[in-house]
Amino acid sequence: MATKLLAPSLGEGVEEVTIVNWLKKEGDPVKELETVVELETDKVTTEIPSPATGTILKVLAKENEVVQVGSILAWIGEPGEEIKSSAPAKKEAQPAAPEIPAAVSTPVAPVPLSPVPVKTEYTGRISPLVKKISEQNNVNLDMVTGTGMEGRITKEDVMNFIEASKSSKPEPLPIPTFTATPAPTPTPITAAPQKAVLDASNATLIPHTSLRRQIAERMVDSQHTSPHVLTVMEADLSKVLAHRAANKEAYAKQGVNLTLTAYFSAAIVSALKAHPLVNSSWTDEGLQVYNFINLGMATSLGADGLIVPIIKDAGALSLFGLARSVNDLAARARAKKLVADEVKGGTFTLTNHGSSGSLFASPIISQPQAAILGTGMMQKRAIVVSDATGNDAIAIRPMIYLSLVFDHRILDGEGADNFLKSVKDSLENWNMNAG
């Protein structure tokens, strides 16, 4: 009997996966637990093994296709073996409304009624993002044609429907003008400039990758979910650099590269312990404050986008442990060797946008976290310093901007600034004996 190869669940809340690469084709022999296909979700590529030994009889999902978790990807069995129908299940027809016989009564003059919109609840399966967009734009999903698997309505279907609705609205009628007699000499009216129309025939179309689509959806969803507020401080990294210079060689002998990211991570962990509300999520019932710290570390993948591996239980790690985790996760992220669990469950995120030369930025919160901290490029600048007697002097110091974006539902300005001040103080007063 033929065996189904199903799209597995690759993490909590994951409903769809993308077919990245078929390692076996129709007609190829395969052994049990031999890798058959590579799937991608949340920027993680996972190899899926065969559930049985046999031959790939039928492949049902193409590369780059987005499929539902639990759907059949392929059938595996003996050559020539008959397989069950793989046609997508059709949506059951809704029973027709029963005819209501007209009541026999004395005719009365009809009473004009104002049209009242009747809101109906869509019964098909949709993602939370599609539901949110449709509600915000008052879209009747029963009018939208789904192009997803088994006719499922995708975000693109809703956006295309909205654009089509806008373009189909009739242009307003011109307002007639009347000229008195005798008509005065008309004043020339300059026509309003029309919007430029881009010529798509003279452009190059670069198709969106699955990763880029996921990044775009999450960024837009985050901005719609929570009110983002930015606060910025700067920190003097003189003591951090001194500590790094004194310990970098010793760390290297143990196979660990002591980067500035490890110091930023340690300062964030210390500040989160002092200000636990920043390590929380908003829920309708109240704030969900976590008793552990899972620190997300945004990692650039170049043209492929970015990924945020999670340092699990970062609050229990020393500077050495954080540095080792940073090295390991960053290397495996760029090699696409992370597993799905390693990009889920973050409670706070660090993004080092300064690695590309940016001084400060306004990063977007990774939902459902309360905040995200961005670190800019370290730059030597002249600042005013004071000695023990209160005398001021100008000195050159390695300075860095710290940009905290926070959810204003959870934190007010004072609470956010107090947290950021703790991060700043940890960096500026780094203990030479730490780590």
Side-chain angles (χ1 to χ4, degrees):
M1 183 177 178
T3 302
K4 302 174 184 177
L5 174 62
L6 302 177
S9 174
L10 299 179
E12 182 181 356
V14 176
E15 298 181 356
E16 296 177 336
V17 296
T18 301
I19 309 298
V20 177
N21 181 34
W22 279 101
L23 303 178
K24 295 289 184 178
K25 311 298 181 186
E26 288 187 11
D28 288 353
V30 64
K31 295 181 180 180
E32 185 177 4
L33 301 184
E34 182 180 2
T35 301
V36 177
V37 63
E38 294 178 342
L39 304 181
E40 182 181 75
T41 178
D42 288 317
K43 315 159 200 173
V44 176
T45 301
T46 303
E47 297 178 345
I48 304 302
S50 171
T53 298
T55 299
I56 305 294
L57 301 178
K58 184 69 175 178
V59 173
L60 304 179
K62 300 177 182 180
E63 292 183 357
N64 297 321
E65 182 178 348
V66 178
V67 299
Q68 191 75 18
V69 168
S71 60
I72 304 174
L73 303 181
W75 286 92
I76 301 172
E78 297 300 323
E81 183 177 355
E82 183 179 356
I83 60 177
K84 296 180 180 180
S85 173
S86 58
K90 296 182 179 179
K91 188 175 180 180
E92 295 184 3
Q94 298 294 327
E99 294 185 3
I100 301 176
V104 178
S105 61
T106 304
V108 295
V111 179
L113 299 176
S114 300
V116 179
V118 179
K119 184 176 181 180
T120 59
E121 187 71 23
Y122 181 71
T123 58
R125 291 189 63 187
I126 54 175
S127 68
L129 181 59
V130 168
K131 185 174 185 294
K132 180 183 296 184
I133 295 176
S134 64
E135 291 177 348
Q136 291 174 344
N137 293 275
N138 198 25
V139 173
N140 182 357
L141 292 178
D142 289 321
M143 303 294 293
V144 181
T145 301
T147 61
M149 186 174 182
E150 298 184 0
R152 187 178 182 187
I153 296 176
T154 66
K155 173 192 171 186
E156 287 73 19
D157 296 332
V158 178
M159 299 306 296
N160 290 337
F161 180 85
I162 294 172
E163 290 301 319
S165 300
K166 292 179 179 178
S167 62
S168 63
K169 290 182 179 179
E171 294 293 331
L173 295 175
I175 300 174
T177 58
F178 301 93
T179 305
T181 305
T185 303
T187 303
I189 300 177
T190 304
Q194 296 182 350
K195 294 182 179 179
V197 179
L198 297 180
D199 183 6
S201 64
N202 193 27
T204 302
L205 178 65
I206 303 176
H208 298 307
T209 63
S210 173
L211 174 57
R212 179 53 59 189
R213 288 184 183 276
Q214 290 182 42
I215 293 174
E217 289 182 2
R218 290 177 185 273
M219 296 300 99
V220 172
D221 183 57
S222 180
Q223 292 279 26
H224 283 302
T225 299
S226 60
H228 286 49
V229 180
L230 169 68
T231 183
V232 180
M233 294 184 184
E234 60 179 346
D236 181 350
L237 296 187
S238 297
K239 292 186 177 180
V240 165
L241 294 183
H243 183 275
R244 182 170 181 258
N247 292 275
K248 188 175 182 179
E249 184 177 350
Y251 276 54
K253 289 180 179 179
Q254 300 180 68
V256 175
N257 180 21
L258 183 55
T259 64
L260 289 179
T261 301
Y263 289 93
F264 299 146
S265 300
I268 289 172
V269 166
S270 176
L272 287 175
K273 290 179 178 178
H275 305 276
L277 287 185
V278 185
N279 193 50
S280 68
S281 295
W282 175 275
T283 71
D284 291 338
E285 293 74 28
L287 288 186
Q288 187 165 292
V289 183
Y290 302 104
N291 298 320
F292 56 89
I293 298 173
N294 286 350
L295 181 60
M297 180 186 69
T299 304
S300 173
L301 300 179
D304 292 333
L306 61 86
I307 191 171
V308 185
I310 309 297
I311 303 176
K312 297 295 179 68
D313 203 12
L317 299 178
S318 64
L319 179 65
F320 180 85
L322 288 170
R324 181 168 53 190
S325 295
V326 168
N327 291 177
D328 172 58
L329 291 172
R332 289 193 293 115
R334 296 187 177 102
K336 296 187 176 181
K337 296 297 183 182
L338 295 173
V339 298
D341 185 61
E342 291 177 314
V343 294
K344 295 183 179 299
T347 61
F348 189 92
T349 298
L350 164 67
T351 176
N352 181 16
H353 53 81
S355 59
S356 57
S358 170
L359 292 179
F360 61 86
S362 181
I364 297 178
I365 298 170
S366 178
Q367 296 297 331
Q369 297 170 23
I372 181 172
L373 177 65
T375 55
M377 180 183 69
M378 184 179 65
Q379 189 179 55
K380 290 185 178 180
R381 295 197 294 273
I383 64 171
V384 177
V385 297
S386 301
D387 59 21
T389 61
N391 294 321
D392 293 337
I394 295 178
I396 296 177
R397 294 285 188 267
M399 305 298 293
I400 189 171
Y401 288 109
L402 305 173
S403 304
L404 179 72
V405 175
F406 59 95
D407 184 341
H408 213 333
R409 298 175 303 174
I410 299 175
L411 299 169
D412 295 323
E414 181 181 10
D417 287 343
N418 288 338
F419 167 80
L420 191 56
K421 182 68 163 51
S422 292
V423 175
K424 168 186 168 72
D425 290 343
S426 292
L427 296 173
E428 293 189 333
N429 302 298
W430 194 267
N431 185 353
M432 286 298 292
N433 298 319

